[in-house]
């Protein structure tokens, strides 16, 4: 039998688990204090729901669950792949939340401020820092169309990141509608905007010249590419410049208000900046999108945006929605790599007993010591010297020999 | 798009989630105080591992995950069901733990006292109280062959149940080896013991006559059935009676010691009793098995046993192991049905603001109030009367109108 976990999935050892539980606890504490309520949805969803969810590339990465019994026999006889499965593992928490809200909205408050912290699945090619099973921590506000929802999500997510010891991070923000309006103004056609955005999203990686080359390869109208190039060459990209070339002034005004408000709230502990090339992968975003990047760590540690059309797909009635998701795995792996140790609430103590001890009394003494320590009951080894060394290396702070109770011997911390 | 969750799976609403989080928190607190460490394993396992895991009937209930890409194309061309999947969702936490221990044992302490609280999957026919996705809370001790491991698991599990408000429960205990030795003594053949045990397990449901009838239908040796019947007719089943007909006296002595020790530890808060017909479904149990039943609630709220052979399947070297699993779903549904409300650490307050308010200042005032309250920020409705009613009904204890900050209006609790 194979002892390794499946490809792209991992076993969590106790030390990493302590960090994960601590991080999740702190995030939940901050979110709950702000009146958000936790819910849970099943990890499996109807495959048709997943397929229709505008999940972008993620739709190619869905793990499908095989049908059973007669249904499966029929599908095999038909010999077609698409009939073999009718359930899939979710690739994010946004589609399940939208379904959940559609199903339970009568029982939920409006606006609904909700927490989800749970596993999602993507059949990606496994690589360092990219897992096939991973945890996301999301907060969402459903039923609030105002940009105050965006502000509150950014404020609360930033406070969660600060609570777990992250600082020196930057919230990057954009509005997809603003980007699309600007590109249309330059002369790109509406139906090509998705592919133009894909190229534009790479601005910080390939630079203005790279963007121009790629758009030419994609055979975009030369005068549109030229207009965009001229704009890019003006250098630093300011929201005012983009606003100046857009017909709808309220989009830029609202984005400016969000940025100003968050700046005030941040008290200088973190930054927020307009990032005109930010697009984000999911197809379901309809308005503002945002990401958190952290000095010294590549990629985003959190991301989100507004998705006003998703719930409507279920109930035929538009429900405004915004979400922000913390990349839990990335956060935990940064802490783990940096040798982070979770502060122990109580020191740990080993209560060592000999085979002839009255075990009921051993456990009662252990319970007594638990007022002050986290107590593990262990059979004493014949030679206790090596046992004490091992306990010490494993982070145990104290021992008590049952026959000498309540005498406690403190162990020196080994580094 | 479908709004309901998949068959046998459920959406957790905020009130139930609060109970679940509270129950899990209390269980973890008790387990951690006793020196157990939490780990996590992936929800998917290699299908071959699952198939070889002696899981009894659960092996027929595995959700299988479809292969992908070329592998899948080949399997479809071959037209055989068993080639379509090579991964499955776990049906319990014991097989993954055994694989985990085999893979990571060099990095783990011995004995290893471990907590798992996580989801498992069984494709059962959905019915009240039986889900296809559900949570188990397990503690296990690996690497301790003495019955002290059983005693400690029972002690700690019982304390967890007491901590979440359960009392008046009974731990039922048996040793499969004792049952098998007795049945062999009566003249049943070794290779028929599994099926005899299945019938014997029903003693409390079908009575001695039912057991006799079923064994006769199974064409067991008449003199063995008669010997068993004579024994059953003696009435109350005492451990001493079973010990008297068994060659190996140490099994009964050890079981008696476990029962006596737990009785002492229980201080009369719960009961423990020898239940000679207790077998439990899983094929992997090798020694003692136990269950917790609770007055007024059908079925078990917790169950476990010793499985000394499972880890050895992975590494070819025997590692003694015992586990105890709390039926988290059953516990939570009992609390939910009884109208249980989790005590709030902080009262909840709604901070209501008008559209023209300075939102940065609104959020700063909210943060200020969070020292004392759980604060939700909400846009004030035009008519606040109805809004206050709704907030009150949703369990909100206080409101603060932003323009009147720091004046707080308490809401009367509505029942």
């Amino acid at each position: 039998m194979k002892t390794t976990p499946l490809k792209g999935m991992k076993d969590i050892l106790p030390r990493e688990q302590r960090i994960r539980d601590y991080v999740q606890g702190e995030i939940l504490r901050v979110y709950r204090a702000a009146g958000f309520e936790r819910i849970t949805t099943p990890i499996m969803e109807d495959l048709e729901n997943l397929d229709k969810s505008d999940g972008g590339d993620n739709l190619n990465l869905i793990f499908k669950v095989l049908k059973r019994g007669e249904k499966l026999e029929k599908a095999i006889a038909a010999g077609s792949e698409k009939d073999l499965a009718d359930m899939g593992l979710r690739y994010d928490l946004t589609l399940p939340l939208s379904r959940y809200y559609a199903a339970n909205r009568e029982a939920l408050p409006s606006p609904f401020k909700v927490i989800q912290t749970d596993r999602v699945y993507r059949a990606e090619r496994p690589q360092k820092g990219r897992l096939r099973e991973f945890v996301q921590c999301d907060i969402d506000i459903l039923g609030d169309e105002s940009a105050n929802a965006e502000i509150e999500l950014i404020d609360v997510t930033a406070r969660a990141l600060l609570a777990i010891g992250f600082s020196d991070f930057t919230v990057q923000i954009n509005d997809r509608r603003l980007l699309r309006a600007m590109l249309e103004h330059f002369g790109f056609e509406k139906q090509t905007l998705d592919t133009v955005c894909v190229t534009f999203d790479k601005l910080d990686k390939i630079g203005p010249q790279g963007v121009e080359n790629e758009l030419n390869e994609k055979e975009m109208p030369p005068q549109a590419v030229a207009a965009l190039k001229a704009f890019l060459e003006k250098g630093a990209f300011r929201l005012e410049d983009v606003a100046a070339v857009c017909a709808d002034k309220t989009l830029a005004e609202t984005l400016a208000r969000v940025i100003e408000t968050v700046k005030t709230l941040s008290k200088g502990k973190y930054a927020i900046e307009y990032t005109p090339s930010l697009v984000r992968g999911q197809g379901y975003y309809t308005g503002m999108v945002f990401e958190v990047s952290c000095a010294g760590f590549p990629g985003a540690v959190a991301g989100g945006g507004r998705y006003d059309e998703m719930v409507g797909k279920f109930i035929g009635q538009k429900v405004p929605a915004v979400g922000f998701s913390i990349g839990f795995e990335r956060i935990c792996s940064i802490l783990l790599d940096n040798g982070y140790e979770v502060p122990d609430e109580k020191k740990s103590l080993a209560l060592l007993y000999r085979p002839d001890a009255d075990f009921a009394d051993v456990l009662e003494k252990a319970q007594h010591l638990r007022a002050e320590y986290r107590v593990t009951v262990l059979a004493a080894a014949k030679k206790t010297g090596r046992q004490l060394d091992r306990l010490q290396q494993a982070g145990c702070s104290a021992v008590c020999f049952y026959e000498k109770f309540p005498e406690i011997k403190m162990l020196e911390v080994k580094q």
Side-chain angles (χ1 to χ4, degrees), chain A:
Chain A
M1 284 163 83
K2 300 175 195 89
T3 62
T4 49
L6 291 170
K7 196 165 73 166
M9 308 195 185
K10 70 174 192 174
D11 289 335
I12 311 291
L13 288 169
R15 183 179 156 242
E16 183 172 356
Q17 186 71 48
R18 280 195 295 274
I19 292 176
R20 295 170 75 92
D21 287 347
Y22 173 77
V23 168
Q24 180 172 296
E26 285 297 288
I27 292 173
L28 283 175
R29 187 179 59 73
V30 172
Y31 288 176
R32 283 181 176 136
F36 286 73
E37 299 229 57
R38 193 176 178 199
I39 64 155
T40 308
T41 57
I43 67 153
M44 280 187 257
E45 286 286 339
D46 185 276
L47 202 48
E48 228 181 283
N49 282 0
L50 292 170
D51 280 339
K52 289 185 187 165
S53 64
D54 270 339
D57 285 346
N58 292 329
L59 298 188
N60 302 319
L61 305 176
I62 295 172
F63 283 109
K64 297 174 184 175
V65 177
L66 202 59
K67 287 182 182 171
R68 308 173 53 79
E70 262 179 50
K71 272 191 190 175
L72 178 60
E73 282 167 31
K74 272 190 207 161
I76 292 175
S80 109
E81 174 181 341
K82 79 176 196 5
D83 291 332
L84 290 169
D86 51 10
M87 306 190 288
L89 304 190
R90 60 184 175 200
Y91 63 83
D92 77 358
L93 301 174
T94 306
L95 182 270
L97 173 63
S98 303
R99 184 197 55 66
Y100 175 100
Y101 187 79
N104 300 293
R105 64 192 185 282
E106 301 299 334
L108 301 172
S110 177
F112 183 42
K113 302 187 182 186
V114 58
I115 313 169
Q116 293 178 93
T117 155
D118 218 335
R119 287 161 155 147
V120 301
Y121 296 83
R122 294 179 194 170
E124 308 221 42
R125 197 175 294 274
Q127 50 179 287
K128 163 85 182 154
R130 184 163 288 185
L131 292 161
R132 295 181 141 199
E133 174 183 60
F134 58 99
V135 169
Q136 289 188 329
C137 284
D138 286 19
I139 42 174
D140 294 78
I141 299 179
L142 290 94
D144 185 350
E145 62 184 8
S146 88
N148 287 350
E150 275 90 340
I151 294 169
E152 189 178 354
L153 287 187
I154 294 170
D155 175 53
V156 176
T157 301
R159 278 194 285 104
L161 290 172
L162 292 169
I164 51 180
F166 276 71
S167 55
D168 202 15
F169 56 83
T170 301
V171 180
Q172 299 181 301
I173 190 165
N174 193 15
D175 190 314
R176 279 195 180 180
R177 292 165 297 184
L178 207 57
L179 174 59
R180 295 172 74 94
M182 180 184 79
L183 293 172
E184 265 195 277
H185 168 84
F186 289 141
F188 294 98
E189 283 170 48
K190 201 163 198 145
Q191 67 274 22
T192 66
L193 291 181
D194 281 339
T195 182
V196 176
C197 281
V198 167
T199 301
F200 198 65
D201 189 28
K202 301 181 192 165
L203 179 60
D204 53 342
K205 288 189 199 108
I206 61 178
Q209 189 58 53
V211 169
E212 185 190 357
N213 295 346
E214 198 170 301
L215 290 176
N216 284 332
E217 277 165 37
K218 286 183 176 177
E219 300 184 344
M220 293 295 138
Q223 87 285 3
V225 177
L228 176 60
K229 195 189 170 194
F231 186 78
L232 290 178
E233 279 173 350
K234 283 203 300 188
F237 237 122
R238 297 178 315 154
L239 183 52
E240 300 89 273
D241 301 333
V242 176
V245 299
C246 285
D248 184 349
K249 300 300 175 203
T250 59
L251 289 175
E253 280 166 23
T254 307
L255 185 53
R257 181 173 79 84
V258 170
I259 292 171
E260 278 318 302
T261 309
V262 172
K263 268 190 187 148
T264 307
L265 289 165
S266 73
K267 301 209 162 78
K269 288 182 191 152
Y270 59 94
I272 179 163
E273 68 183 25
Y274 169 55
T275 307
S277 62
L278 184 69
V279 177
R280 294 199 52 81
Q282 277 78 356
Y284 51 66
Y285 288 129
T286 56
M288 286 191 215
V289 286
F290 24 85
E291 252 180 34
V292 176
S293 59
C294 199
F297 303 104
V301 298
R306 184 170 276 278
Y307 53 100
D308 281 349
E309 306 295 338
M310 182 96 106
V311 180
K313 287 191 176 192
F314 288 96
I315 53 171
Q317 179 196 329
K318 187 168 154 167
V319 175
V322 209
F324 209 160
S325 175
I326 289 186
F328 184 76
E329 302 293 341
R330 178 149 305 175
I331 297 276
C332 291
S333 92
I334 290 172
L335 292 175
L336 191 68
D337 290 351
N338 288 353
Y340 186 82
E341 287 288 348
V342 173
D344 257 334
E345 276 179 41
K346 284 181 179 175
K347 291 194 170 175
S348 93
L349 176 147
L351 176 62
L352 302 178
Y353 67 94
R354 308 261 166 215
D356 57 353
D358 169 357
F359 197 57
D361 193 52
V362 172
L363 288 181
E364 278 173 7
K365 297 265 189 297
Q367 193 56 16
H368 184 85
L369 290 166
R370 276 175 197 140
E372 200 167 340
Y373 297 92
R374 183 169 172 267
V375 178
T376 316
V377 171
L378 290 174
K382 279 189 187 137
K383 296 188 174 173
T384 51
R386 266 192 62 199
Q387 187 175 28
L388 294 191
D389 278 351
R390 272 207 310 271
L391 285 169
Q392 204 168 355
Q393 274 154 18
C396 187
S397 308
V399 289
C400 171
F401 292 93
Y402 167 69
E403 62 271 22
K404 294 189 181 165
F405 176 90
E407 190 184 313
I408 287 168
K409 177 184 161 71
M410 301 306 291
L411 301 176
E412 262 176 57
V413 179
K414 279 203 181 165
Q415 286 302 350

